[in-house]
Amino acid sequence: MTDQQEWGSPLERKGRLTAVLVLATLVSAFGSSFQYGYNVAVVNSPSPFMKAFYNSTYMERYGTPMEAEMLSLLWSLSVAVYPLGGLLGSLMVAPLVNKLGRKGTLLFNNIFSIVPAVMMGVSETVGSYEIIIMARVLVGICAGLSSNVVPMYLGELSPKNLRGAIGIVPQLFITIGILSAQVLGIRKILGNSTGWPLMLGLTGIPAVVELLLLPLFPESPRYLLIQRRDDTTARKALQQLRGWEEVDEELSEMRLENQSEQAEGQLSVVSLLSQSSLRWQLTSVIIMNMGQQLSGVNAIYYYADSIYASAGVQENHIQFVTVGTGAVNVFMTIAAVFIVEAAGRRLLLLIGFGICCAACVLLTIALKFQDSVSWMPYVSIACVIIYVMGHAIGPSPIPYVVTTEMFRQSSRPAAFMVAGSVHWLSNFTVGLVFPFLERGLGPYSFIIFSVICLATLIYIWMVVQETKNKTFLEVSQMFAKKNKVEIKLGYGDEPLKGSEVEPEGIVNNTAF
């Protein structure tokens, strides 16, 4: 193969959706990401019956009803330990993916789903609400690992022209998980006094499916080649994923990426924070993850039921409207899968945060005049739906995609560890602070969220560059100028297509 054919030729193949790539994506997203979404929403609908179980169990033990404050504390704990478990899971990402691999970590992670599923399923039988709280910590760890490892795994499996679309699939399955919990939580299905233990225990089914099927699919070729130094298995995995034998060009790109960062070794979180070559990437990922969670998405869902009630929706019908909102979320995430490669990551982030900002401002106005203007409750419902649509096309799915693309192999696990920690800490903070904000500011609390959306939008506009259809090394080269560093490729290597690199192998720092 000539140099021109390998690096710059018009004959370069575009990646395609092979059966192996599609099935690996669906199995890992269903087995892991689905559970994250399912366990976010699973306790919402049956909460009155679960609280009644907490109270009756306490009564059986001590012969007196549980005090309201105690019940409130235990229930808050049952909900709050989930994001805290997510934080613990995020802190486990880097050591696990470096030791076990991406696929190996996902298989190991099923422990944190199957065990708590059994615990929650038998909690009523054994008469223990403590088991539920412990199980919520464990499924939180499962969610913390899966929310970071699945995007990393799929990002490394995907060809560069499909990486955005495939990278959104985990978020799609998170929304499907939320919707599934909302549907199963309908009173006539499982959201009742007898069905809630089964509803909580069903989270183990996707884990069993993943445990049985994921071993049939390849490990990340980048992990095999760069971290395990296993050229033969990496080539075989890449051939399976691409559906053709000739994968030398992609392997060469991986080797070039490896050579460019050999001096760095596998970065820890501490060394990642001190790397000047990654300063803007890390800052961007932190701000996008904070913006994603602090933009008010959980507060919108918190307010939704009261908004629907004020618009005249009967109490027993609110659950169906909630399911409708979940369906909108799924539909818009599907739309994002199909438009991300054409529109790009940056544009979807800007549009998404812009829509969320405007919806929060309008919702504040609508809630303020809800009692005095007869048609204003319908404006409130429209604002909720528009907000959900905006969040689903940009702020929800894109940060995971961009985190994969902004970092090379040595820094990616530590970067996901930081991003995941910020994600879950921000999630926990909103859950903790919003009830006080709502009590003190009422509808004006959404102004705070609109300001956060606007600030995140401005940062993305000024700093974040487009990463679609670029190799991981090309993305690093884009950020090199902003970070005022050079990326050295080493002597004797062929230059990367599309970058102005000296033949000797030193990246020209001004060539961007």
Side-chain angles (χ1 to χ4, degrees):
M1 178 180 287
T2 67
D3 292 356
Q4 184 186 10
Q5 283 175 315
E6 184 170 356
W7 292 109
S9 110
L11 300 175
E12 178 193 2
R13 289 184 180 183
K14 282 195 169 184
R16 58 180 182 174
L17 283 173
T18 60
V20 173
L21 180 58
V22 170
L23 290 172
T25 300
L26 294 177
V27 168
S28 58
F30 175 66
S32 295
S33 303
F34 176 90
Q35 295 185 65
Y36 172 10
Y38 185 82
N39 286 298
V40 163
V42 73
V43 295
N44 293 352
S45 180
S47 60
F49 307 105
M50 292 177 69
K51 287 176 183 176
F53 163 68
Y54 283 25
N55 196 27
S56 62
T57 302
Y58 188 89
M59 186 91 167
E60 286 174 15
R61 289 181 189 173
Y62 307 108
T64 180
M66 189 183 290
E67 292 182 4
E69 292 80 3
M70 178 70 170
L71 180 58
S72 181
L73 175 64
L74 281 174
W75 183 250
S76 298
L77 198 60
S78 304
V79 175
V81 292
Y82 182 69
L84 286 180
L87 175 61
L88 289 175
S90 295
L91 294 174
M92 296 163 64
V93 168
L96 284 177
V97 296
N98 290 329
K99 180 73 175 175
L100 303 178
R102 282 63 168 146
K103 186 179 85 168
T105 301
L106 290 177
L107 291 171
F108 172 76
N109 191 31
N110 289 313
I111 295 171
F112 298 112
S113 175
I114 295 170
V115 171
V118 174
M119 290 168 67
M120 290 188 289
V122 302
S123 58
E124 188 182 37
T125 305
V126 300
S128 173
Y129 47 77
E130 294 88 351
I131 283 182
I132 295 176
I133 295 170
M134 289 169 58
R136 291 282 291 172
V137 175
L138 294 176
V139 290
I141 292 172
C142 174
L145 278 166
S146 66
S147 64
N148 292 289
V149 181
V150 177
M152 191 190 308
Y153 176 57
L154 296 183
E156 293 179 8
L157 292 189
S158 309
K160 65 182 182 181
N161 60 302
L162 295 173
R163 202 163 52 226
I166 289 174
I168 291 176
V169 172
Q171 179 62 32
L172 172 60
F173 272 83
I174 290 172
T175 63
I176 292 171
I178 293 171
L179 179 60
S180 300
Q182 290 169 339
V183 171
L184 291 174
I186 291 172
R187 293 286 181 262
K188 291 183 179 178
I189 304 178
L190 291 177
N192 51 54
S193 59
T194 56
W196 66 263
L198 175 60
M199 187 176 166
L200 266 59
L202 287 176
T203 188
I205 292 177
V208 172
V209 171
E210 183 176 54
L211 207 53
L212 292 173
L213 297 182
L214 193 60
L216 304 176
F217 300 98
E219 175 60 274
S220 158
R222 304 188 94 83
Y223 171 77
L224 292 169
L225 183 74
I226 296 175
Q227 291 178 246
R228 293 279 296 276
R229 313 284 184 194
D230 189 344
D231 286 41
T232 305
T233 312
R235 177 182 292 275
K236 185 178 176 183
L238 208 51
Q239 288 169 338
Q240 281 182 277
L241 290 162
R242 299 294 175 262
W244 52 61
E245 293 295 310
E246 184 50 62
V247 292
D248 286 336
E249 180 177 347
E250 204 168 343
L251 287 170
S252 297
E253 180 266 312
M254 291 182 199
R255 291 190 186 102
L256 194 61
E257 178 187 335
N258 181 37
Q259 196 161 0
S260 75
E261 58 181 0
Q262 269 182 347
E264 297 172 6
Q266 203 63 40
L267 295 184
S268 67
V269 171
V270 175
S271 54
L272 174 71
L273 295 171
S274 64
Q275 286 282 327
S276 58
S277 62
L278 298 171
R279 185 187 303 120
W280 282 107
Q281 294 98 307
L282 192 61
T283 304
S284 299
V285 163
I286 288 171
I287 286 177
M288 282 188 286
N289 275 278
M290 287 179 69
Q292 180 197 60
Q293 290 299 308
L294 301 179
S295 58
V297 62
N298 295 325
I300 287 282
Y301 281 115
Y302 178 90
Y303 243 101
D305 284 5
S306 62
I307 290 170
Y308 299 147
S310 67
V313 179
Q314 294 178 19
E315 189 175 348
N316 59 334
H317 290 162
I318 286 177
Q319 56 186 330
F320 299 108
V321 182
T322 303
V323 168
T325 309
V328 169
N329 198 5
V330 171
F331 175 78
M332 291 307 298
T333 309
I334 292 171
V337 170
F338 288 101
I339 64 176
V340 65
E341 296 300 351
R345 289 73 159 132
R346 186 171 179 269
L347 181 61
L348 289 185
L349 283 168
L350 292 171
I351 291 172
F353 276 110
I355 290 172
C356 291
C357 178
C360 282
V361 172
L362 288 173
L363 183 58
T364 303
I365 297 167
L367 290 171
K368 177 65 178 173
F369 295 102
Q370 193 157 264
D371 296 329
S372 54
V373 181
S374 61
W375 47 266
M376 201 57 83
Y378 301 103
V379 176
S380 300
I381 290 179
C383 289
V384 169
I385 293 170
I386 291 167
Y387 180 96
V388 168
M389 292 170 71
H391 212 273
I393 62 165
S396 281
I398 303 298
Y400 298 110
V401 176
V402 175
T403 302
T404 302
E405 293 178 327
M406 282 185 176
F407 296 90
R408 290 175 287 164
Q409 199 72 15
S410 66
S411 52
R412 192 173 296 123
F416 264 100
M417 199 160 148
V418 171
S421 301
V422 170
H423 171 99
W424 288 101
L425 271 174
S426 301
N427 184 307
F428 177 72
T429 301
V430 171
L432 193 67
V433 172
F434 179 70
F436 298 101
L437 274 181
E438 194 268 332
R439 198 176 306 145
L441 298 174
Y444 293 109
S445 55
F446 286 99
I447 290 294
I448 296 173
F449 298 128
S450 69
V451 171
I452 291 170
C453 289
L454 181 61
T456 310
L457 186 153
I458 292 169
Y459 178 88
I460 292 166
W461 176 266
M462 295 179 67
V463 175
V464 176
Q465 302 176 64
E466 183 53 65
T467 58
K468 74 170 183 176
N469 207 27
K470 291 181 171 64
T471 65
F472 296 127
L473 187 52
E474 286 171 332
V475 174
S476 293
Q477 288 176 307
M478 275 194 334
F479 276 94
K481 185 177 180 182
K482 191 174 284 293
N483 288 319
K484 296 182 173 58
V485 297
E486 289 184 342
I487 297 177
K488 298 184 179 182
L489 304 181
Y491 292 93
D493 282 88
E494 299 186 57
L496 185 68
K497 179 190 71 165
S499 64
E500 296 178 34
V501 184
E502 302 299 329
E504 291 81 10
I506 307 299
V507 173
N508 183 344
N509 192 36
T510 61
F512 296 95

